[in-house]
Each structure stands twice: as C-alpha cells, then as structure tokens.
C-alpha cells in the first residue's frame, strides 16, 4: 500500500479538555465526523480524513499535569510530544518507557491511541502495561476521567485498555497517566555483524542468557537495510572488513546500574561469541562514546528515512515467528521476481528489519513508483503468509484506513463482530474517526 493522503476544510486546536468535550458534543449532534490528530506520524493513514471530517488536533493540549519523582508516575496532556516528555523527566533521572524514531513529532496521546511499540518494548513492556490511566472525551462529549495514578485498581472492567490501540475510533484521549522507569545509570550498545540470518535465533538465546537483566534492546537489520541506511547517511558505517560477508546485523543495547559491570558483561559476551570454532558473528563493534552510541542507533532508526529517500515504500509491519523472518523476506522477493517485478526497475529492494524480541518484522518493498501491478502482487500474498503463521498483519502501527480490508487475516469474524458492537456502544453515530480500523 502506498502513502495515504487526506484533507479537511477545518482543523480545530482545542487548549483544554472542556473545549474538546464541547467540540465533540456539537459534532455528535450535527453528525459531523471527527479525526483526532496527534503528531501525524502514523503510518497507516489513521490521522487523516477520508471524506469531509473535521480534524481535532491535540497539539495545543500539551502541558505536563504532574510528575512524581519518587514513583515515576507522569500525568500529561495527550498533546505532549514524546521527546518533550523525555526531556521533562530526564533531570529527575527517569526515562519514558517508549522510544521510537518519530519521538520528535509524535505525541503521547497518539502513542497510546496506536499502542505504539518501538525500541524499548523488550525491556519496559507495552503501553497496555505502563499506562495507568486515561482521560478520554467520548463521541457525545462525555469526559471519561480514568486518570488514576494508582499502580493497582481492580474495581470493575479496565475500560482504559479499550482506548489503547483504538486509533481514535472510540474517543479522544486528552490526558495520560503513565509509569516511567528510572533512567539507567549506564547504557551501552554494540552492533554485531552476522554471516547468516540463521544465527539470529541462537545469538538471541545467548545474549538473553549472558546479559540477562541489563539487556534493553535487540534490533535486527538485514544487509539491504544496512546498505540503504549508510547510502543515505543514517548513522555510522562500519569498515569494509567489519561488514565483509555479513548477511545481517543485530544491534544490542544494555541499560544497567554500573558501567564497569555492564562493560565487563558485554566484553565477556563478545569474547564468548568469537572464541568458538564456528562463531555466530563475524565481528562486533562496541560503542566507545556517547556519540558512537547515538550513531549506532542512528543506523537502525534511520532505516525508515533511508527507505523513503530510496523510493516509494510498501510497508508491512508484521508479527511472525522469529525463525520465519528471513523466509518471509525471501519469499516476497522471489514472488516479485516470479512476476517480473524485481530488478527491471519496478521494485528496487525488498528488505527486512525490526524488533526481534517482539517478533516484529518490518518488511519493506521499495519501488520507483506506486503501481497496481506491485500492489496486487503484494496483497494478499503477504497477508496470506502472515495468516499461515497465525501472525499479525499489523504488529505495532495499527490498522488505520490502509489495512481495514486485511483485518480478517488476523482477527476472527467473532472478534470483529464484537469490536463492531463496542464501536456501536461508544459511537452510535459513527463520527469517531470513521472508516478507520473497522470497515
Ligand atoms: P498520529 O499519527 O497523529 O495519529 C495516529 C492515530 O492515533 C490516528 O488514528 C489518530 O486518529 C489517533 N490519535 C492521535 N492522537 C489521538 C488522541 N489524542 N486521541 C485519540 N486518538 C488519537 N510506530 C511504532 O509503533 N513503533 C515504532 O518503532 C515506530 N517508529 C516510527 C519511526 C518513524 C520515523 C515514523 C515516521 C513513524 C514511526 N512509528 C512507529 C509510527 C508512529 O510514529 C506511531 O504510530 C505514533 O504512535 C503515532 O503518534 P502520533 O502522535 O504521530 O499520532
Ligand atoms: C521502526 C518505523 C516505521 C517503518 O523503525 O521500528 O516501526 O516501518 C518502524 O519504517
Ligand atoms: Zn517498529
């Protein structure tokens, strides 16, 4: 699927929850569709109008309401940008439990609405666990105040969970209460060059065992992803020797309490990986400074931008068994080749990268332009492969407007029917982000 575009004659930018409530009450009475918009960094067309909906931007609802440096509980307006919240709590030695390449623009409300995963899920879990409470304006303007800062509250149905990942189809999130973890005293990362993708799984097992509690990220990029990131100036390239014969790369990050202890663990890991007859890795490059730490991360985080600079991307954010990552990429590449679409200029690259610990592969196909031939070659081919593994056709980016037709590859008719009943309960006039998630 290609880039999704939409437009609206009206963008409203409320400054308070009350203003959001008044807007929703009026739009509900007039049966006017509303698209809640955060940082507009979503990748499935969820934040843009389909027809003539009004856009309600949360950008001006962007104050921190409270932060408790003892518990780490942050209560913020939905329109707070993720990077701003990161900067706000850093002096109090806390970090956000979520990190993603769009941090400079995406808002915490949008992160919650899309149940964003990102680079820290392996260590800090999903927003379904770290979000303690929400304030939501329902389609009829009712303010649902569940903005608790309690770690434990077992009183009735946990309604906030419905809005986490609902992509703005059940209500407008105006406030978020989230548990932020203490900042690690020491962070480190290392990029490992692997001769074969087949080594990723055994490597993951060893790394989990040896690094244990200090492991905070285990990200995978294949050789094409790496070459495109370097070609488009994303991050620090390794030397020719270091990349020679590498089929893929793994970026490992540690976050611990004592730099010496962590570095000792990392060095022991590298030695143990290299000192065997048939090493799982060709080499490992340990960052030696904060600048190198950032440039190794830039290699991984920069793949998205590199792909967009290289051509027109078809993005498939899928959950499949880790052991099938390479099979899925290779099968897609062969399928396109069998259709005569790869190599002659239509499709330039097929690449895979993603969050290994989450079983989340970002399968990207880069073409010169968006064409019906490529679209029909890719879908339902890819969705059927994912369904064959009982995987997810959208691991973390959501359904938006672009994947409503594919929801059934990952959810049963019973599940979809129940989702529609819940949608009808909250939004009987279908004004809340119409045409998104559910057809
Ligand atoms: P928008 O794009 O504005 O909206 C997204 C959806 O949420 C829409 O359906 C919108 O209607 C709804 N919404 C927004 N705000 C609210 C609100 N206050 N109340 C109710 N509904 C709302 N995603 C990941 O999961 N993991 C990644 O690692 C990741 N990396 C990315 C890297 C880059 C470079 C880019 C461009 C995107 C990446 N994304 C990633 C996708 C995107 O950044 C996330 O989905 C993000 O959470 C969207 O936040 P946003 O504020 O931009 O929301
Ligand atoms: C990532 C970003 C979006 C994409 O880099 O983890 O979620 O698919 C992605 O490029
Ligand atoms: Zn991702």
């Amino acid at each position: 699927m290609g880039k999704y575009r939409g437009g609206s004659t009206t963008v409203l930018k409320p400054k308070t929850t009350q203003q959001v409530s008044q807007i929703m009450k009026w739009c509900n009475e007039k049966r006017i569709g509303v698209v809640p918009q955060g940082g507009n960094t979503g990748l499935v067309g969820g934040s843009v109008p389909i027809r003539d909906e009004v856009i309600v931007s949360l950008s001006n609802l962007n104050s921190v309401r409270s932060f408790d440096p003892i518990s780490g509980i942050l209560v913020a307006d939905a329109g707070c940008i993720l990077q701003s919240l990161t900067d706000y709590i850093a002096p109090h030695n806390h970090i956000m439990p979520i990190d993603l390449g769009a941090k400079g623009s995406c808002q915490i409300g949008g992160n919650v609405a899309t149940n964003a995963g990102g680079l820290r899920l392996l260590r800090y879990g999903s927003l379904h666990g770290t979000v303690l409470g929400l304030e939501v304006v329902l389609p009829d303007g009712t303010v649902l105040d569940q903005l608790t800062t309690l770690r434990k509250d077992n009183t009735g149905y946990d309604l906030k969970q419905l809005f986490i990942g609902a992509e703005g189809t059940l209500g407008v999130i105006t406030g978020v209460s989230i548990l932020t973890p203490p900042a690690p005293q020491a962070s480190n990362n290392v990029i490992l060059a692997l001769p074969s993708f087949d080594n990723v799984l055994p490597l993951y097992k060893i790394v989990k065992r040896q690094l244990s509690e200090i492991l905070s990220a285990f990200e995978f990029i294949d050789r094409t992803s790496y070459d495109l990131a370097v070609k488009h100036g994303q991050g620090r390239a390794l030397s020719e020797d270091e990349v020679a014969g590498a089929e893929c790369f793994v970026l490992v990050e540690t976050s611990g309490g004592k730099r010496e202890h962590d570095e000792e663990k990392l060095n022991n890991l590298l030695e143990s990986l290299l000192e065997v007859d048939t090493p799982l890795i060709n080499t490992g490059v340990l960052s030696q400074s904060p600048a190198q730490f950032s440039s190794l991360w830039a290699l991984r985080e920069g793949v998205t931008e590199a792909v967009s600079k290289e051509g027109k991307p078809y993005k498939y954010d899928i959950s499949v068994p880790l052991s099938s990552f390479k099979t899925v990429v290779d099968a897609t590449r062969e399928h396109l080749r069998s259709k005569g679409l790869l190599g002659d200029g239509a499709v330039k690259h097929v690449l895979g990268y993603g969050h290994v610990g989450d079983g989340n592969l970002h399968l990207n196909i880069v073409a010169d332009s968006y064409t019906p031939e490529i679209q029909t070659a890719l879908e339902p081919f890819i969705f059927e492969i994912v369904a064959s593994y009982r995987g997810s056709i959208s691991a973390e980016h959501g359904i938006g407007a672009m994947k409503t037709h594919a929801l059934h590859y990952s959810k049963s008719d019973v599940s979809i029917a129940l989702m529609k009943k819940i949608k009808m309960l909250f939004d009987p006039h279908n004004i809340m982000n119409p045409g998104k998630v559910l057809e």
Side-chain angles (χ1 to χ4, degrees), residues 262-328:
D262 298 0
E263 282 177 354
E264 186 190 350
K265 271 192 164 183
L266 268 171
N267 285 318
N268 291 344
L269 170 71
L270 284 175
E271 277 165 30
S272 68
L273 287 173
L274 289 166
E275 272 172 6
V276 290
D277 298 342
T278 46
L280 290 173
I281 64 171
N282 292 342
T283 184
V285 176
L286 199 55
S287 59
Q288 301 297 330
S289 67
Q292 277 195 356
F293 177 87
S294 307
S295 69
L296 286 185
W297 262 121
L299 261 181
R300 163 63 185 86
E301 289 188 294
V303 175
T304 300
E305 191 173 332
V307 160
S308 299
K309 284 179 177 171
E310 182 71 11
K312 300 295 184 196
Y314 290 77
K315 301 176 101 46
Y316 294 90
D317 156 42
I318 55 180
S319 284
V320 287
L322 182 50
S323 55
S324 69
F325 272 25
K326 185 170 186 305
T327 311
V328 172

Side-chain angles (χ1 to χ4, degrees), residues 36 38-42 46-47 102 107 111 113-114 116-118 167-168 173 396-397 433:
N40 211 11
T41 67
S47 58
Q107 299 174 5
N111 295 149
T114 54
E167 300 180 59
I173 296 166
E396 56 179 10
H397 297 163
N433 224 353

Side-chain angles (χ1 to χ4, degrees), residues 35-48 56 58 78-79 98-103 105-119 163 166-169 171-174 300-301 304-305 317 355 360 362 395-398 400 432-433 436:
V35 176
Q37 193 175 81
N40 211 11
T41 67
L43 293 162
V44 289
S47 58
V48 293
V56 171
L58 284 301
I98 173 173
D99 182 28
L100 52 151
K103 64 193 117 194
S105 309
C106 64
Q107 299 174 5
I108 192 66
N111 295 149
V112 173
T114 54
N115 183 27
L119 305 164
F163 301 97
E167 300 180 59
T169 59
V172 182
I173 296 166
T174 48
R300 163 63 185 86
E301 289 188 294
T304 300
E305 191 173 332
D317 156 42
H355 319 283
N360 179 187
H362 291 306
E396 56 179 10
H397 297 163
M432 222 48 264
N433 224 353
K436 312 294 175 48

Side-chain angles (χ1 to χ4, degrees), residues 113-387:
T114 54
N115 183 27
L119 305 164
R120 290 184 180 158
L121 189 136
L122 177 66
R123 173 67 171 270
Y124 299 109
S126 103
L127 290 173
H128 280 291
T130 51
V131 170
L132 301 177
L134 291 177
E135 177 188 77
V136 184
V137 175
L138 301 179
D140 66 358
T142 305
V143 178
L144 174 64
D145 179 0
Q146 291 220 326
L147 209 52
T148 170
T149 55
L150 303 174
R151 290 292 304 274
K152 291 182 167 178
D153 173 14
N154 235 346
T155 52
Y157 301 139
D158 190 359
L159 295 176
K160 70 173 178 298
Q161 298 297 349
L162 282 172
F163 301 97
I164 301 174
E167 300 180 59
T169 59
L170 298 181
V172 182
I173 296 166
T174 48
V176 177
S177 163
I178 188 166
L179 180 65
T180 71
Q185 307 266 355
S187 286
N188 221 317
N189 61 12
V190 57
I191 189 160
L192 307 170
L194 282 65
S196 161
F197 174 84
D198 298 338
N199 297 358
V200 171
L201 263 175
L203 176 67
Y204 183 44
K205 254 175 83 178
I206 293 169
V207 167
K208 274 202 303 183
R209 176 116 183 82
Q210 291 209 19
L211 296 183
S212 179
E213 83 289 350
I214 66 169
L215 177 62
S216 54
F218 191 98
E219 295 288 317
F220 156 81
I221 62 173
D222 68 9
R223 182 60 189 259
T224 308
S225 307
Y226 170 84
D227 291 341
L228 288 182
V230 168
K231 174 181 174 184
H232 293 286
Q234 306 290 338
R236 167 179 176 270
L238 304 180
S239 70
E240 279 305 310
D241 288 351
E242 288 163 340
V243 298
E247 185 175 69
C248 63
F249 300 83
V250 164
L251 181 69
V252 175
E253 180 194 75
T254 61
S255 300
K258 199 162 178 224
R259 180 163 299 283
E260 301 74 43
H261 165 261
D262 298 0
E263 282 177 354
E264 186 190 350
K265 271 192 164 183
L266 268 171
N267 285 318
N268 291 344
L269 170 71
L270 284 175
E271 277 165 30
S272 68
L273 287 173
L274 289 166
E275 272 172 6
V276 290
D277 298 342
T278 46
L280 290 173
I281 64 171
N282 292 342
T283 184
V285 176
L286 199 55
S287 59
Q288 301 297 330
S289 67
Q292 277 195 356
F293 177 87
S294 307
S295 69
L296 286 185
W297 262 121
L299 261 181
R300 163 63 185 86
E301 289 188 294
V303 175
T304 300
E305 191 173 332
V307 160
S308 299
K309 284 179 177 171
E310 182 71 11
K312 300 295 184 196
Y314 290 77
K315 301 176 101 46
Y316 294 90
D317 156 42
I318 55 180
S319 284
V320 287
L322 182 50
S323 55
S324 69
F325 272 25
K326 185 170 186 305
T327 311
V328 172
V329 176
D330 290 350
T332 303
R333 193 176 287 122
E334 282 323 304
H335 180 70
L336 289 167
R337 205 187 303 278
S338 71
K339 300 276 183 188
L341 287 169
L342 186 63
D344 76 347
V347 171
K348 300 166 78 174
H349 307 285
V350 178
L351 58 138
Y353 56 98
H355 319 283
V356 169
D358 318 346
N360 179 187
L361 172 66
H362 291 306
L363 171 61
N364 278 227
I365 294 88
V366 188
D368 275 333
S369 57
Y370 295 123
T371 69
E373 291 76 21
I374 298 173
Q375 177 78 26
T376 44
L378 292 172
E379 294 180 23
F381 176 78
I382 291 174
F383 295 141
E384 286 166 350
I385 289 182
V386 172

